[in-house]
Amino acid sequence: MPREPHATSLLDDAPEFTRQRPGGTFLVIKGPDRGEQVHLGDKLVTFGSAPHCDLVLSDKTVSRRHVEAFLDGNQTIVRDLGSTNGTYIQGSRFKEIAVGFGAEIKLGKTVVKFLPEEEEVEPVETERDHFGQLYGRDPKMRRLYSLLEDIAPNDATVLIEGETGTGKELIAEEVHNHSRRRDGPFVVFDCGAVPHELLESALFGHVRGSFTGAIQDRKGAFAEAHGGTIFLDEIGELAFDLQPSLLRALDKRSVRRVGSNSYDKIDVRVIAATNRDLREEVAKRAFREDLYYRLAVIRVHLPPLRERGRDIDLLVHRFVEVFGAERGLKPSVEDLHRLRSHNWPGNVRELRNVIERSCVLAKGESLALDDALGGDGIGQPALGIRTDLPFKEAKGQLVELFEREYIVDLMKRHRMNLSAAAREAQIDRKHLRELIRKYGLDPRGDLSRDE
């Protein structure tokens, strides 16, 4: 079945781990030869109407030997071979240009897109039950450790996908800690937490006087991460109109501060994370296809805790050791059975928060699970008015219970999308974030690092 013009496809399914192969594929997406393609590897390839070309085009506006493409180190170079009608990218004619994945090249009436070739990665399970501070014995996790061990030493860009609370930031930090950049900075930038009008400045910096309130020069997150790693958290929240600026920074390895006319070179490794399905966002044209390709050189899907049931015991013991070792606390068989039976919609972060509360509230050597979990389930205390408490304190507890239950349900229904949740609740986005932080539910905050 022929593809629709300008529509390209990613891998049909969503395997746990994928990587982009060296080189790529030139695919005809518009013109009489739509659907034809040629792979670019170590050898140069040519496009034209001559039968000896690697990609033979029947378009009569294409010259016999129109263009050639080849790899030059990490760059893909496209060179016009003196064609009659010229070769264009984004409406501009060129003689020779370096192109990135997603680039569309116009030859006569034909449009060719350069795409990566993604392949599924199947790492061997390691025998270890952790990678740095990332713990788990499940086979999915042990395969993940093996992959992280392989990719950490190089500078490949990594995209981490997974539900809120699964440990995405922790993976990014451990990749940094196991890389040659470990002595450099690790900078976390939350793409969903900065107001739209300040995003460009926060990412790339600004010069004094560039806008109202810019009273002095400021470094952006990329400059602060120079020599180290920048972690772009919740990359799916980045406004569409700002995505081209990020794409240019990744392509050029340089940034231009707001109000400046020059670019500053940056030496950073980029790791991005999202709780969205970016492939679906690309299909809906809500996320730039070319930016997705730059980010997903290595793509990692982190499984939710409900798919790692055998890891509950290990994680519980680990968190008890962190929060209650000095007091000799330990979980009982009944505690472990109770914790295993929960679905954990908040994933590892939710489990960590429950264990921390259990340790804080514990008396003697037993965990205070009843206090931490509540009578009606995990994180859902039974609704009741405490007449044995002073009026003000009882009222405060009831208000907190209402706020927590309301916020938990609101955020679940909106899949932790802060803007959509704030619109439905008709409350200020900043106030909603404060409530989320207050109750330890923040998908991007610093109450827990297990995202």
Side-chain angles (χ1 to χ4, degrees), residues 58 80 101 182 231 285 291 304 327 373 375:
S58 60
D80 185 272
F101 294 132
R182 65 180 65 89
F231 175 55
R285 299 186 183 275
L291 179 56
R327 299 168 57 189
L373 305 183

Side-chain angles (χ1 to χ4, degrees), residues 170-201:
L170 193 55
I171 284 183
E173 188 166 3
E174 289 303 337
V175 168
H176 171 76
N177 291 338
H178 288 76
S179 75
R180 64 180 180 83
R181 297 176 177 270
R182 65 180 65 89
D183 295 327
F186 176 75
V187 175
V188 178
F189 185 86
D190 186 341
C191 297
V194 181
H196 179 273
E197 62 273 14
L198 299 178
L199 258 172
E200 192 170 8
S201 169

Side-chain angles (χ1 to χ4, degrees), residues 26-260:
F26 288 95
L27 172 69
V28 179
I29 60 171
K30 186 177 181 180
D33 305 293
R34 186 176 63 180
E36 295 296 322
Q37 58 185 279
V38 64
H39 171 70
L40 174 65
D42 296 333
K43 296 182 179 180
L44 174 149
V45 295
T46 56
F47 312 166
S49 59
H52 60 267
C53 288
D54 298 289
L55 182 60
V56 180
L57 301 171
S58 60
D59 182 355
K60 294 182 179 180
T61 60
V62 171
S63 297
R64 288 181 58 78
R65 293 184 76 251
H66 200 109
V67 298
E68 64 183 15
F70 57 92
L71 293 176
D72 182 12
N74 293 325
Q75 290 189 316
T76 297
I77 307 298
V78 177
R79 177 186 295 155
D80 185 272
L81 299 175
S83 64
T84 301
N85 293 320
T87 311
Y88 297 80
I89 281 187
Q90 295 182 342
S92 298
R93 188 169 183 170
F94 67 88
K95 291 293 185 182
E96 182 174 306
I97 194 170
V99 299
F101 294 132
E104 296 184 4
I105 305 158
K106 190 171 186 295
L107 306 77
K109 296 179 180 179
T110 294
V111 177
V112 179
K113 179 177 279 192
F114 184 48
L115 300 170
E117 293 183 357
E118 291 183 295
E119 62 180 359
E120 183 175 357
V121 181
E122 298 182 352
V124 177
E125 290 180 24
T126 181
E127 294 297 321
R128 293 181 300 155
D129 65 0
H130 69 284
F131 181 76
Q133 296 301 306
L134 193 66
Y135 280 78
R137 295 194 186 101
D138 187 271
K140 293 179 180 178
M141 298 302 292
R142 297 208 308 269
R143 287 195 294 270
L144 173 62
Y145 304 152
S146 181
L147 176 67
L148 296 180
E149 195 170 57
D150 287 342
I151 67 175
N154 60 57
D155 275 350
T157 303
V158 182
L159 175 64
I160 308 168
E161 297 180 338
E163 295 179 8
T164 297
T166 47
K168 298 188 288 295
E169 182 177 335
L170 193 55
I171 284 183
E173 188 166 3
E174 289 303 337
V175 168
H176 171 76
N177 291 338
H178 288 76
S179 75
R180 64 180 180 83
R181 297 176 177 270
R182 65 180 65 89
D183 295 327
F186 176 75
V187 175
V188 178
F189 185 86
D190 186 341
C191 297
V194 181
H196 179 273
E197 62 273 14
L198 299 178
L199 258 172
E200 192 170 8
S201 169
L203 268 174
F204 310 124
H206 64 250
V207 297
R208 180 182 177 182
S210 55
F211 55 85
T212 303
I215 59 176
Q216 60 184 8
D217 290 355
R218 174 188 170 179
K219 283 185 176 182
F222 270 92
E224 291 173 355
H226 184 74
T229 302
I230 185 168
F231 175 55
L232 300 174
D233 197 10
E234 297 304 339
I235 189 67
E237 300 290 332
L238 187 65
F240 193 84
D241 61 326
L242 290 175
Q243 292 176 21
S245 298
L246 176 57
L247 182 63
R248 283 194 295 272
L250 298 179
D251 280 345
K252 296 177 177 293
R253 292 293 165 178
S254 60
V255 297
R256 182 171 64 87
R257 291 182 292 170
V258 176
S260 174

Side-chain angles (χ1 to χ4, degrees), residues 272-329:
T274 180
N275 59 11
R276 297 188 180 191
D277 183 346
L278 284 194
R279 293 163 177 251
E280 184 178 323
E281 297 296 303
V282 168
K284 295 189 301 185
R285 299 186 183 275
F287 196 86
R288 288 183 62 110
E289 184 181 34
D290 44 7
L291 179 56
Y292 171 83
Y293 291 140
R294 299 304 193 285
L295 296 171
V297 176
I298 303 290
R299 184 187 139 287
V300 173
H301 176 74
L302 192 55
L305 188 55
R306 62 181 173 275
E307 296 179 7
R308 302 168 47 195
R310 67 179 66 183
D311 286 343
I312 296 289
D313 290 13
L314 174 66
L315 292 169
V316 169
H317 284 289
R318 171 66 181 167
F319 295 146
V320 170
E321 182 181 341
V322 171
F323 300 117
E326 295 180 356
R327 299 168 57 189
L329 299 177

Side-chain angles (χ1 to χ4, degrees), residues 60 78 102 144 193 198 230 241 348 351 356 360 380 392 416:
K60 294 182 179 180
V78 177
L144 173 62
L198 299 178
I230 185 168
D241 61 326
V348 179
L351 175 61
E356 183 177 9
V360 170
Q380 300 290 333
K392 186 176 181 180
M416 303 309 289

